[in-house]
């Protein structure tokens, strides 16, 4: 049974950045109720209500995975490790974005699946076999006519976005070879609990997985998990290694260690999530007070990184033009637009990250290291960063 533990109020779609024309018609902006629940049987954490994916993954999808050096390196690294460890004859990626992972493979050795037409176009143009489609059993059957089975299916920050996980894993079972491997990366519930990063919850993150939950939900699709590793991307993720029930892979030591950790941290208890919810209410109060204090002192505050996560923070905490002058972001198709719900202008760092800025809220806190080392001059001249993870504070 799914029990609600967190109510974050009314939210716009996290990636629905608005144009100048669109903010003139605020009534047209789409809002939904964002709340999160815990399934006491499968231990799965998920949104109470999901949004129709056709509203989310359109030809205007803003996120470009290759914009970050951290993600580029991470994907190159894991692509090489997977090629060496599993020696796949043919691989497939579900949610290939702009090709940042598949570019590490030979063109004939990997297939891309990406429903956002603007992104699929990029990999198609570069010569990769690309299906501009949602991942379904029907698509898996269609691909199997082309290549029979695949030995490696990779999917980063995508499976947790698809509302029907049963369809997703059944489709994977159709296409995966007998000793094939599915590798999934997604934000990890253990990190969310530890960092109080409630901003991992937004319309696209339908699920925030744990080892326990993944193990439970893949069973009925004839799959099992045999290995896992914690990774630092996206503010704390887990990489799950999954195979067919009858496959040759044995449970690894590191999986057992991580699983025991979940038992210790009571990932399977509703009370864990109830306590988290109390911490989040306090996080909101503390962050708003921090902003109010700085504004009383006439400080100029901006936000660094127009992230989907910050859509949750700003709309939950009611942070908009009352506190922020603007948001800076390196992504060209976010610049010139306005943040969802709160309509704060987004500009390039070249235009906005100058000596007039006193404080910068880390909307992209998951890149804290990369940003801090890049912005040494800002820090040197007395500029300060603000974060809300794990607690609202000035860095
Ligand atoms: P991302 O990590 O994808 O977070 P989310 O999934 O919550 O959207 O987004 C990071 C954003 O931050 C992206 O739009 C690029 C931007 N960014 C900068 O503007 N400057 C930087 O130095 C870095 C690292 C990211």
């Amino acid at each position: 049974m799914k029990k609600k533990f967190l109510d974050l109020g009314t939210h716009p779609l996290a990636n629905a950045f608005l144009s100048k024309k669109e903010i003139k018609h605020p009534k047209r902006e789409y809002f939904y109720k964002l709340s999160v629940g815990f399934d006491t049987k499968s231990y799965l954490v998920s949104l109470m209500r999901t949004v129709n994916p056709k509203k989310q993954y359109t030809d205007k999808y803003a996120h470009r995975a290759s914009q970050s050096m951290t993600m580029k390196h991470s994907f190159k690294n894991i692509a090489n490790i997977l090629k060496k460890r599993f020696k796949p004859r043919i691989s497939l990626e579900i949610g290939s974005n702009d090709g940042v992972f598949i570019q590490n493979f030979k063109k004939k050795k990997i297939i891309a699946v990406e429903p956002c037409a603007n992104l699929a176009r990029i990999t198609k143009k570069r010569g990769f076999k690309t299906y501009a489609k949602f991942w379904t059993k029907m698509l898996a059957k269609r691909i199997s006519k082309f290549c029979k089975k695949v030995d490696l299916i990779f999917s980063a920050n995508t499976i947790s976005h698809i509302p029907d996980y049963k369809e997703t894993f059944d489709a994977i079972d159709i296409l995966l070879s007998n000793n094939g491997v599915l590798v999934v990366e997604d934000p990890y519930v253990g990190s969310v609990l530890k960092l109080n990063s409630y901003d991992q919850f937004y319309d696209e993150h339908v699920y925030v997985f744990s080892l326990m939950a993944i193990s439970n939900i893949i069973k009925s699709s004839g799959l099992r998990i045999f290995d896992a590793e914690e990774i630092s991307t996206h503010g704390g993720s887990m990489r799950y290694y999954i195979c067919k029930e009858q496959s040759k892979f044995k449970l690894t030591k590191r999986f057992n260690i991580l699983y025991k950790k979940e038992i210790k941290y009571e990932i399977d208890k509703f009370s864990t999530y109830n306590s988290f919810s109390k911490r989040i209410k306090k996080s909101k109060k503390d962050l708003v007070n921090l902003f109010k204090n700085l504004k009383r002192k006439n400080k100029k505050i901006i936000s660094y990184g127009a992230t989907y996560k910050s859509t949750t923070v700003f709309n939950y905490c009611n942070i908009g033009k009352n506190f922020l002058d603007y948001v800076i972001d390196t992504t060209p198709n976010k610049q010139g637009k306005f943040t969802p719900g709160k309509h704060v202008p987004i500009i390039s760092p070249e235009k906005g990250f100058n000596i007039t800025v006193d404080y910068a809220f880390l909307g992209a806190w998951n890149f804290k290291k990369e940003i801090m080392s890049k912005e040494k001059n800002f820090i040197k001249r007395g500029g300060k960063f603000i974060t809300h993870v794990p607690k609202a504070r000035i860095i």
Side-chain angles (χ1 to χ4, degrees):
M1 194 185 73
K2 195 149 106 178
K3 278 169 82 176
K4 184 159 101 176
F5 65 86
L6 182 65
D7 192 341
L8 294 167
T10 303
H11 286 252
L13 299 183
N15 81 343
F17 298 98
L18 298 107
S19 66
K20 217 174 192 171
K21 212 167 136 194
E22 283 166 328
I23 55 165
K24 287 193 184 126
H25 307 281
K27 278 198 183 134
R28 287 189 203 157
E29 197 172 4
Y30 176 81
F31 284 88
Y32 70 100
K33 283 203 161 62
L34 177 59
S35 57
V36 194
F38 172 73
D39 190 309
T40 49
K41 216 168 154 194
S42 67
Y43 313 138
L44 182 60
V45 169
S46 65
L47 301 189
M48 293 302 288
R49 236 190 80 190
T50 60
V51 170
N52 183 350
K54 287 195 176 134
K55 267 194 182 353
Q56 300 165 307
Y57 308 105
T58 65
D59 61 350
K60 292 188 182 58
Y61 195 75
H63 176 76
R64 294 282 301 269
S66 65
Q67 284 291 315
S68 143
M69 286 315 287
T70 310
M71 291 311 291
K72 247 183 169 169
H73 287 145
S74 167
F75 284 131
K76 187 172 180 185
N77 193 26
I78 187 60
N80 289 333
I81 290 171
L82 295 177
K83 279 190 277 187
K84 241 191 197 159
R85 182 171 173 194
F86 300 116
K87 301 183 179 58
R89 281 167 302 129
I90 183 134
S91 307
L92 176 139
E93 185 180 17
I94 305 171
S96 48
N97 199 273
D98 57 2
V100 66
F101 173 78
I102 61 169
Q103 69 191 7
N104 301 294
F105 287 73
K106 289 193 179 128
K107 291 198 172 101
K108 293 257 176 286
K109 296 270 184 187
I110 193 154
I111 300 163
V113 176
E114 173 53 62
C116 302
N118 57 328
L119 300 171
R121 230 174 276 135
I122 299 172
T123 54
K124 219 176 231 174
K125 241 187 185 165
R126 284 164 69 185
F128 289 97
K129 176 106 186 140
T130 305
Y131 291 85
K133 294 256 175 238
F134 283 99
W135 178 250
T136 58
K137 284 191 276 188
M138 211 157 87
L139 179 65
K141 281 179 196 154
R142 198 174 132 192
I143 298 174
S144 73
K145 278 187 198 137
F146 165 73
C147 71
K148 288 200 177 122
K149 299 278 177 189
V150 301
D151 301 319
L152 173 71
I153 299 181
F154 182 78
S155 190
N157 307 302
T158 300
I159 303 281
S160 65
H161 295 212
I162 310 175
D164 191 347
Y165 67 74
K166 174 79 175 125
E167 169 92 14
T168 302
F169 290 116
D170 281 353
I172 286 164
D173 185 54
I174 289 171
L175 208 54
L176 200 62
S177 59
N178 284 342
N179 282 313
V181 178
L182 162 69
V183 179
V184 173
E185 285 182 24
D186 271 303
Y188 179 49
V189 90
S191 309
V192 171
L193 292 169
K194 192 166 130 196
L195 297 174
N196 298 318
S197 47
Y198 63 89
D199 49 346
Q200 291 289 11
F201 296 114
Y202 52 84
D203 59 294
E204 292 185 17
H205 286 174
V206 178
Y207 304 106
V208 180
F209 296 129
S210 60
L211 294 174
M212 289 185 178
I214 280 275
S215 307
N216 285 331
I217 64 174
I218 60 177
K219 263 186 214 156
S220 66
S221 301
L223 302 170
R224 64 177 171 84
I225 180 166
F226 66 95
D227 191 13
E229 61 184 317
E230 260 185 294
I231 51 174
S232 61
T233 51
H234 280 284
S237 298
M238 186 68 84
R239 188 176 284 142
Y240 308 89
Y241 293 80
I242 293 164
C243 62
K244 292 209 174 207
E245 189 56 56
Q246 310 298 334
S247 138
K248 63 179 181 185
F249 296 102
K250 293 199 171 77
L251 272 188
T252 62
K253 248 189 205 159
R254 65 178 181 184
F255 173 84
N256 289 328
I257 293 169
L258 288 168
Y259 199 86
K260 275 186 195 144
K261 226 166 130 187
E262 287 200 352
I263 296 171
K264 185 175 160 202
Y265 290 114
E266 303 193 322
I267 296 283
D268 53 345
K269 302 262 184 330
F270 183 72
S271 55
T272 303
Y273 301 91
N274 235 349
S275 317
F276 168 78
S277 179
K278 281 181 195 141
R279 296 199 297 278
I280 298 320
K281 279 183 196 138
K282 179 167 168 12
S283 169
K284 172 180 176 172
K285 233 189 228 163
D286 292 347
L287 186 65
V288 171
N289 283 336
L290 192 155
F291 274 103
K292 275 186 183 160
N293 280 335
L294 294 177
K295 271 293 151 204
R296 249 179 243 131
K297 293 178 195 155
N298 273 330
K299 298 295 180 192
K300 174 167 168 177
I301 316 171
I302 64 144
S303 190
Y304 198 113
T307 59
Y308 298 0
K309 290 190 285 296
S310 55
T311 300
T312 294
V313 177
F314 296 161
N315 286 280
Y316 174 55
C317 301
N318 200 13
I319 292 168
K321 285 176 275 191
N322 47 348
F323 295 123
L324 301 170
D325 282 48
Y326 47 81
V327 179
I328 54 161
D329 198 289
T330 50
T331 319
N333 55 347
K334 288 182 185 172
Q335 294 162 4
K337 298 224 169 119
F338 296 80
T339 64
K342 295 294 166 198
H343 304 178
V344 183
I346 304 165
I347 60 175
S348 70
E350 291 76 28
K351 261 193 190 164
F353 206 51
N354 52 39
I355 51 160
T356 63
V357 177
D358 299 309
Y359 289 84
F361 174 73
L362 275 175
W365 58 266
N366 45 318
F367 292 116
K368 187 171 140 203
K369 251 194 196 155
E370 186 175 331
I371 294 168
M372 299 291 249
S373 78
K374 199 163 75 174
E375 304 300 358
K376 283 195 185 103
N377 284 340
F378 172 69
I379 298 166
K380 231 190 228 161
R381 68 158 180 86
K384 296 226 157 48
F385 285 103
I386 302 169
T387 189
H388 67 293
V389 286
K391 278 181 178 162
R393 69 197 161 102
I394 293 165
I395 303 174

